[in-house]
């Protein structure tokens, strides 16, 4: 595989014209978060595809559930409590995005009767928007006006010129991109790269795996790294590839993507299967960054009237657990 | 004037639209070609030969365990004393596993008379105590003889729907069951499980022989016997007493294991039920007196996780309500039953009388054997590989039950028959030999160990055994420890006359119905059976990208039943559409299998 000349934007988004400095800045941001090679346990490595050339042997897509497992597992005997927890905030039901820590956040809109009318999911990283802001503030405002609310003005989005990830339109009043503190692309890149070496961290209160430790010979010997879906998915898979030993990196264009949204068994109020009410707002199939679920006006019912397996949709989490997020990897041997 | 019909453009399913160097190339399969039809009979006849070769001359204890199998610092496991063992139904633990079984579905009539019938049948219900004692003796004889021992027993178990509990106890008792899917019933969850939503489809719930919206059963009685005559007598007696007690017989299904070399195989010709989790817990406080025998020496760290190579140990609360269950973040420590559920007050997960009971899922699945094998023959021909090899990659095991992970090139009857070897493999990394406790007469596992297959070129991501039991691999729910929460106790048995092994099947035989009575037990339907079915078997991308489970996977996305597999070949991955369906749901139900004391003491009181 030839060296990557310039890391592309997630889903190859073109929010600014070709030739904009933004695209070089984005490349530098990605490259700046990766080392040319991070030697791993067992002989493999995590590499920067713009600096290290590798013959690709195969791809491996890492898939995980969008609904936060950290919220679900302690409430496995009462799933409704988990759905409420993922959406409940002191100020209302806009979505408890602070616990939505699987690199996917959502926001629920309800009508006056309290029924859900629309749910918006995003996997866009805040870093992308910061880079965009640094080059063209006006374009960021345009995007907010288009995606979130037409009344957004530039002053809403910054503090002393510094773009605010948790501005009101990406917090209390809307959703533009990820805002939970560890839902960042920097964190994902760091975790992927750091997973080349068998981690020694362990969830508090959970005993270590059986000896010998480390390095792990297989996943049963790995420490219990986190109670989320994404962290062990990333850590275990990268570590397993590296101990083959293979050279591993993330596939271009690097990004966190929604790849699955399964509405099998979802029914309209009359009991027939739902139609396709999904809209890909940013990205494209296989690389979705922003996804909306909304019944078209005039249909006679709203999202909150739809049933999933005979249960009416009351919480965004009921949909989030049928959404899968993906980061794609490639693995091979040094050229 | 003729106009040219515009050719419909063939596009990949969106879920298969991963781009990149390994982009999928579609492969068109001529399913009903004359060539595949001609080969069909030959393949069927050939399948009758794949009998696992059982070892013999092996001596294992039938009465107690191996004191040396204790791990000194391991978390103590619960001891099930005589009363507890007599209270747990025997098909849950350890499982009937009988060659002849009969499933009888009843609808309740007069409740007072139904209660009297329950008080009559309660003493007939076979407990863990008697079934385990028998199974232990049977297994010891089987390993010594190298063949099925000529012994006989006949057993009965019973289970109830949510409606039955409402009628026999009260609505509050039924509402106290925490599993919402149980409370809804199978018919209400049918399309969520990928079953057909179109009423014209033969698998639509309205066409089910039992368990559809208008014919849901209240009571399921399972009768099992080694001797078919015993079975007939026992079933006859139960039905007579039920009829006299105003229970309406909705449906009944006789099931039998396949004959001769196909004993233990399902109708497509593959050995079934090779991999089952081992239930933790002890029969007495004596050292090593475990419910599930332990064979891995404690000097091998895997002794904490596995009972024997490849058999994961699970805490009994995964199958019995109220018992310590699997820790969601750890492979061998337990977690308390029915964890509190903040911020709301902890809900009651089950009524107190239901402790030691289990949820039971019953699915009557019709198998279209010609459709399966004609597809396999056509696809194999297009790929240039033998049909049996292709079909074995769909399953993940060869017809004998030998895992393709351990013998990728050809079937191996001796490996299939070796219970310490036939399930010993992981996917992501090379499998290391286990250090076993001494087993008198056992020569050891000398078969080649499985190589790593993280990219799923040997056992594909879609393979049935990889989809439904991902073993060591990380999944969409993270750690393999989470996968342990999903495991079920499978107790299925075929129904109908076999086609496999028949040289020239008659038209009459071809037209007969056959399939699998799928039965499984667990402490939650939603997080175990439904999770495995919907999240993994029916998904082309979970737990990994690679297609649907081609054996049990169902798909009905917005009414479309499109399924595919991404088949690995030396020349790259080929996308194969599964154009026909060979497993069709035809009935079933969600039930609760109560502790035996509750049958007369609560439900029949």
């Amino acid at each position: 595989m030839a060296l990557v000349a310039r890391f592309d934007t997630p889903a190859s988004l073109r929010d600014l014209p070709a030739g904009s400095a933004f695209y070089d800045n984005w490349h530098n941001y990605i490259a700046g978060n990766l080392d040319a090679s991070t030697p791993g346990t067992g002989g493999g490595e995590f590499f920067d595809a713009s600096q290290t050339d590798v013959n690709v042997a195969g791809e491996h897509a890492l898939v995980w559930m969008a609904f936060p497992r950290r919220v679900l597992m302690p409430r496995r005997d009462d799933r409704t409590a988990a759905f409420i927890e993922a959406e409940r905030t002191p100020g209302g039901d806009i979505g408890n995005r602070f616990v939505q820590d699987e690199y996917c956040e959502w926001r629920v809109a309800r009508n006056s009767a309290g029924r859900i009318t629309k749910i918006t999911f995003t996997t866009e990283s805040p870093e992308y928007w910061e880079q965009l802001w640094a080059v063209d503030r006006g374009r960021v405002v345009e995007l907010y006006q288009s995606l979130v609310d037409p009344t957004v003005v530039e002053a809403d989005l910054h503090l002393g010129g510094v773009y605010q990830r948790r501005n009101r339109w990406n917090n209390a009043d809307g959703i533009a991109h990820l805002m939970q503190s560890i839902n960042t692309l920097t964190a994902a890149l760091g975790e992927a790269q750091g997973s080349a070496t068998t981690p020694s961290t362990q969830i508090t209160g959970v005993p270590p795996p059986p000896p010998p430790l480390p390095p792990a010979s297989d996943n049963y010997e790995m420490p219990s790294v986190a109670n989320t879906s994404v962290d062990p998915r990333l850590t275990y898979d990268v570590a397993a590839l590296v101990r083959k030993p293979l050279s591993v990196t993330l596939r271009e264009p690097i990004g966190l993507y929604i790849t699955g949204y399964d509405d099998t068994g979802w029914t309209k109020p009359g009991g027939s299967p739902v139609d396709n009410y999904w809209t890909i707002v940013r990205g494209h199939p296989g690389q979705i960054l922003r996804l909306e679920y909304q019944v078209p006006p005039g249909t006679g019912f709203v999202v909150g009237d739809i049933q999933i397996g005979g249960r009416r949709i009351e919480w965004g989490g009921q949909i989030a657990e049928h959404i899968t997020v993906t980061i794609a990897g490639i693995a091979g041997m040094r050229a | 004037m003729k106009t040219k019909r515009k050719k419909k453009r063939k596009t990949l399913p969106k879920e298969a639209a991963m781009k990149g160097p390994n982009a999928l190339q579609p492969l068109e399969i001529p399913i009903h070609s004359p060539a595949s039809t001609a080969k069909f009979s030959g393949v069927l006849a050939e399948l009758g030969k794949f009998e696992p070769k059982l070892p013999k001359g092996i001596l294992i204890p039938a009465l107690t365990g191996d004191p040396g199998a204790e791990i000194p610092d391991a978390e103590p496991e619960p001891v099930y004393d005589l009363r507890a063992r007599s209270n747990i139904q025997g098909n849950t633990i350890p499982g009937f596993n009988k060659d002849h079984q009969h499933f009888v579905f009843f609808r309740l009539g007069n409740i007072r008379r139904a209660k009297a019938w329950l008080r009559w049948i309660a003493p007939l219900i076979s407990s863990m105590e008697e079934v385990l004692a028998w199974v232990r003796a049977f297994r010891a004889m089987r390993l010594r003889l190298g063949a099925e021992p000529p012994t006989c027993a006949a057993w009965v178990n019973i289970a109830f729907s949510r409606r039955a509990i409402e009628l026999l106890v009260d609505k509050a008792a039924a509402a106290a069951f925490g599993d919402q899917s149980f409370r809804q019933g199978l018919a209400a969850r049918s399309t969520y499980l990928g079953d057909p939503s179109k009423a014209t489809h033969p698998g639509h719930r309205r066409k089910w022989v039992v368990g559809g919206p208008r014919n849901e059963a209240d009571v399921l009685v399972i009768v099992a016997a080694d001797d078919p005559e015993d079975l007939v007598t026992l079933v006859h007696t139960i039905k007579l007493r039920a009829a006299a007690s105003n229970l309406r017989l909705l449906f009944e299904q006789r099931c039998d294991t396949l004959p001769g070399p196909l004993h233990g195989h399902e109708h497509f010709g593959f050995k079934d039920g090779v991999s089952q989790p081992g239930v933790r817990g002890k029969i007495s406080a004596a050292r090593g007196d475990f419910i599930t025998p332990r064979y891995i020496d404690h000097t091998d760290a895997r002794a904490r996780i596995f009972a024997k190579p490849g058999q994961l140990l699970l805490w009994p609360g995964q199958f019995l309500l109220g018992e310590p269950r699997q820790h969601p973040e750890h492979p061998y420590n337990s977690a308390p039953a029915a964890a509190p559920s903040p911020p709301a007050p902890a809900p009651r997960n089950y009524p107190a009388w239901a402790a030691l009971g289990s949820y039971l899922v019953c699915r009557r699945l019709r198998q279209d054997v010609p459709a399966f094998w004609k597809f396999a023959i056509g696809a194999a021909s297009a790929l240039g590989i033998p049909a049996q090899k292709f079909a074995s990659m769909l399953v993940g095991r060869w017809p004998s039950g030998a895992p393709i992970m351990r013998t990728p090139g050809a079937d191996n009857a001796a490996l299939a028959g070796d219970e310490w070897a036939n399930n010993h493999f992981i996917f992501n990394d090379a499998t290391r030999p286990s250090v076993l406790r001494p087993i008198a007469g056992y020569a050891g596992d000398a078969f080649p160990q499985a190589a790593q297959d993280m990219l799923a070129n040997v056992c594909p991501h879609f393979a049935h055994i990889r989809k439904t039991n991902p073993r060591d691999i990380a999944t969409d729910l993270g750690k393999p420890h989470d996968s342990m929460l999903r495991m079920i106790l499978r107790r299925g048995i075929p129904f109908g006359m076999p086609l496999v092994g028949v040289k020239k099947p008659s038209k009459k035989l071809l037209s007969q119905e056959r399939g699998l009575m799928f039965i499984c037990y667990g402490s939650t339907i939603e997080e175990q059976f439904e999770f495995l079915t919907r999240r993994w078997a029916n998904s082309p991308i979970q737990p990994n990208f690679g297609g649907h489970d081609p054996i049990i996977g169902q798909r009905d996305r917005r009414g479309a039943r499109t399924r595919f597999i991404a088949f690995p070949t030396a020349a790259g991955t080929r996308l194969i559409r599964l154009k026909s369906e060979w497993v069709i749901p035809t009935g079933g139900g969600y039930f609760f299998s109560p502790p035996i004391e509750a049958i007369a003491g609560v439900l029949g009181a």
Side-chain angles (χ1 to χ4, degrees), chain A residues 25-41:
Chain A
N25 293 353
W26 183 256
H27 166 83
N28 292 335
Y29 158 71
I30 297 285
N33 275 284
L34 298 174
D35 295 327
S37 171
T38 305
T41 310

Side-chain angles (χ1 to χ4, degrees), chain B residues 312-379:
Chain B
L312 282 165
L313 281 165
L314 297 186
W315 287 86
Q318 293 303 119
F319 312 109
L320 301 173
L321 295 184
E323 294 301 292
R325 53 188 172 170
Q326 205 66 23
H327 195 297
E329 316 299 338
H330 197 273
Y332 56 83
N333 277 89
S334 70
S341 187
R348 290 296 299 271
N349 196 246
Y350 52 87
W353 57 263
L356 296 179
S358 303
Y359 293 111
L360 183 163
V361 173
C362 170
R363 291 269 273 174
R364 184 179 185 274
L365 302 169
R366 178 162 67 79
Q367 289 176 266
D368 188 339
V369 177
F372 175 79
W373 277 104
K374 284 178 182 176
F375 162 74
I377 291 165

Side-chain angles (χ1 to χ4, degrees), chain B residues 133 426 560:
Chain B
I426 54 176

Side-chain angles (χ1 to χ4, degrees), chain A residues 1 56-65 67 69 72-82 84-85 88 202-203 205-212 216-230 232-234 236-238 240-241 243-244 246 251 259-267 271 273-278 280 284-287 308-311 321-324 326 328 330-331, chain B residues 14-15 17-23 178-182 184 188-189 191-195 197 205 301-302 304-306 312 318 325-333 335-345 347 349 426 428-430 432 452-455 461 470-482 484-486 526-527 530 534-535 538-539 541-545 554-559:
Chain A
M1 184 180 91
V56 176
E59 293 184 5
H60 185 64
L62 289 71
V63 188
W64 64 91
M65 177 179 69
F67 189 83
R69 184 178 180 277
L72 182 61
M73 293 317 293
R75 298 165 183 82
R76 57 175 158 156
D77 298 316
D78 184 1
R79 295 162 56 78
T80 302
I84 292 170
E85 176 63 16
R88 182 180 57 87
Q202 184 80 20
I203 304 175
V206 177
S217 301
D218 61 49
N219 280 347
Y220 290 120
E221 293 183 355
M222 290 282 282
S224 192
V225 290
N227 55 3
T228 58
S229 295
V230 60
R233 174 91 233 201
L234 201 53
Y236 281 40
D237 277 359
V238 171
L241 288 166
R243 64 176 175 258
K244 294 295 167 279
L246 290 169
R251 198 186 69 191
T259 46
Y261 41 100
D262 187 0
D263 51 13
T264 301
W266 297 20
T267 51
V274 292
D275 295 324
N276 185 3
Y277 303 137
W278 302 97
I280 298 170
H284 47 262
Q287 293 177 353
I308 299 178
R311 303 173 193 173
E321 69 170 347
H322 297 293
I323 287 191
T324 41
T326 298
I330 51 175
Chain B
K14 281 182 181 170
E15 291 141 325
M18 287 292 284
K19 297 176 178 176
N22 284 358
D179 194 279
Q180 193 176 351
S181 299
F182 168 68
Q184 289 179 269
R189 299 290 279 173
T191 59
Y192 181 79
L193 298 171
D195 293 350
S197 58
R205 60 191 179 279
R302 286 168 291 184
R304 294 174 184 271
I305 305 175
F306 296 96
L312 282 165
Q318 293 303 119
R325 53 188 172 170
Q326 205 66 23
H327 195 297
E329 316 299 338
H330 197 273
Y332 56 83
N333 277 89
S341 187
N349 196 246
I426 54 176
N428 263 11
D429 289 280
R432 292 162 291 143
Q452 68 84 10
D453 187 35
M454 187 167 177
L455 298 179
H461 287 306
R471 296 173 185 250
D472 59 310
I473 63 178
T475 74
D476 48 318
L477 269 290
K479 295 181 283 287
H481 320 338
D482 186 281
M484 295 167 81
L485 307 176
R486 316 296 168 186
E526 182 157 14
E527 295 297 325
E530 288 192 346
R534 182 189 168 89
R535 296 290 186 91
N538 294 357
S539 168
I541 62 172
Q542 293 164 262
N544 282 294
F545 274 77
Q554 301 278 325
R555 188 69 162 169
D556 198 85
R557 196 175 187 200
R558 299 175 216 133

Side-chain angles (χ1 to χ4, degrees), chain B residues 65-298:
Chain B
D66 171 6
E70 291 273 358
I71 300 174
D73 60 343
E75 182 182 344
E77 298 182 17
V79 176
Y80 292 89
D81 61 14
L82 177 62
R83 179 164 183 197
R85 294 197 303 273
S86 302
N87 208 7
I88 295 166
Q89 295 204 40
N91 201 28
T92 312
I93 301 172
F96 286 169
N97 203 25
K98 290 281 182 224
D99 287 349
H100 310 284
Q101 300 189 29
H102 203 104
F103 296 80
V104 195
F105 299 82
F106 293 111
R107 188 83 167 171
L108 293 174
N110 180 286
I111 297 303
R112 186 182 56 79
R113 290 163 69 185
K115 283 176 177 282
W117 178 77
L118 287 177
R119 293 194 295 276
W120 169 78
I121 203 171
L124 288 178
I125 302 302
S126 311
S127 68
M128 171 185 171
E129 165 71 5
E130 58 205 65
V131 177
L132 185 59
W134 196 94
V135 164
R136 280 180 157 201
F138 179 88
R139 184 163 170 270
M141 286 176 71
R142 186 173 183 263
L143 284 166
R144 181 165 52 80
L145 297 172
E148 301 294 322
T151 54
C152 284
W155 293 323
V156 182
N157 267 190
I158 192 165
F160 301 85
S161 71
R162 186 262 310 151
R163 180 179 177 273
I165 294 167
E166 275 184 6
L167 293 170
L168 292 165
V169 188
D170 56 34
K171 287 193 173 180
F177 282 87
D179 194 279
Q180 193 176 351
S181 299
F182 168 68
R183 299 198 308 270
Q184 289 179 269
L186 177 63
R189 299 290 279 173
S190 168
T191 59
Y192 181 79
L193 298 171
D195 293 350
S197 58
K198 284 192 175 72
T200 52
H201 192 288
H204 189 269
R205 60 191 179 279
R206 290 193 187 279
K207 296 193 168 165
W208 288 358
V209 294
V210 67
R214 282 188 288 274
N215 62 350
E216 285 177 291
D218 294 323
V219 181
L220 169 62
V221 178
I222 302 172
V223 189
D226 295 291
D227 183 335
E229 287 184 20
D230 290 349
L231 184 74
V232 169
T233 305
L234 198 49
V235 169
H236 181 68
T237 307
I238 290 169
K239 282 163 55 182
L240 269 183
R241 292 294 293 246
S245 304
N246 198 225
L247 273 81
R248 183 159 59 94
L249 178 66
L250 282 184
F251 181 72
E252 57 186 314
Q253 181 66 61
R254 167 69 183 261
C255 296
D256 302 277
T257 51
L258 303 192
L262 290 164
H263 182 257
H265 294 228
E266 50 69 57
H267 277 292
F268 294 145
F270 293 84
K271 186 87 166 81
D272 197 13
V274 179
S275 179
Q276 295 272 12
V279 181
R280 288 186 190 271
K282 299 179 76 170
I283 299 162
S284 74
R287 288 175 59 77
D289 199 9
F290 294 108
I291 295 169
T292 306
R294 313 292 165 91
Y295 292 102
I296 301 178
D297 192 85
H298 67 82

